[in-house]
Amino acid sequence: QPPIGFYDPLGLVADGDQERFDRLRYVELKHGRVSMLAVVGYLVQEAGIRLPGNIDLSGTSFADIPNGFAALSKIPGPGTIQLVALIGLLELGVMKDITGGEFVGDFRNDYIDYGWDTFDEETKLRKRGIELNQGRAAMMGILALMVHEKMGVSLIPT
């Protein structure tokens, strides 16, 4: 994938096993997509934007929940259970590359198009490369945000 090309410094697919390569690419795409959402979510919260209303019946509002790692200890227990259940549901039932699809990580499942089928093959490859590289950047970005938060140094300008 341009501009980097094939990059396998650890030799994970040096044996040429296409099935293993496809599995690793699938995982990389999924982690990249989750990381893109994580970076946006982190920045939105840092900007002070919160859901309206309460997170539980006792009156804890979404605005009362701090950003970052501090949120993990402030979310009420049932809320944490709901989050874990939602992630489990998505992982086991929704985020599966199961039916159809032109390539590894194609979650359209022969249902949603959004104009993808109107692109020529060169454009499709370029857009897939863009998504892959942006996912890689987002994985590094959310890692940097988390590390700097733990160090007590904000990357967000004030």
Side-chain angles (χ1 to χ4, degrees):
Q1 295 287 350
I4 297 171
F6 183 74
Y7 182 67
D8 184 21
L10 300 178
L12 296 175
V13 290
D15 62 356
D17 184 0
Q18 185 66 41
E19 187 176 322
R20 180 164 169 76
F21 176 82
D22 288 345
R23 172 69 183 148
L24 291 173
R25 177 56 50 93
Y26 167 81
V27 170
E28 182 180 20
L29 280 168
K30 187 158 73 167
H31 284 123
R33 290 169 181 169
V34 169
S35 295
M36 286 187 256
L37 290 171
V39 168
V40 170
Y42 192 98
L43 296 175
V44 165
Q45 283 194 332
E46 284 293 323
I49 300 170
R50 298 288 200 281
L51 291 172
N54 296 332
I55 194 168
D56 64 7
L57 297 175
S58 67
T60 306
S61 71
F62 285 102
D64 294 336
I65 306 295
N67 298 341
F69 288 113
L72 296 175
S73 64
K74 300 294 183 189
I75 297 174
T80 303
I81 292 170
Q82 288 175 4
L83 284 172
V84 170
L86 174 64
I87 292 168
L89 173 73
L90 291 173
E91 189 70 28
L92 297 174
V94 178
M95 298 290 288
K96 291 200 164 287
D97 193 10
I98 49 175
T99 58
E102 297 177 33
F103 51 89
V104 174
D106 183 1
F107 292 126
R108 294 177 301 146
N109 293 326
D110 294 333
Y111 177 69
I112 300 173
D113 186 333
Y114 296 125
W116 179 259
D117 291 335
T118 62
F119 297 130
D120 58 62
E121 288 305 313
E122 181 180 334
T123 303
K124 287 180 182 181
L125 280 174
R126 186 175 58 80
K127 288 187 175 290
R128 287 175 53 200
I130 289 170
E131 180 190 19
L132 187 63
N133 289 325
Q134 287 178 342
R136 290 170 176 165
M139 285 186 267
M140 295 298 105
I142 193 61
L143 179 63
L145 288 168
M146 292 179 349
V147 166
H148 279 80
E149 179 185 333
K150 285 308 234 182
M151 291 173 43
V153 179
S154 177
L155 291 177
I156 310 299
T158 55

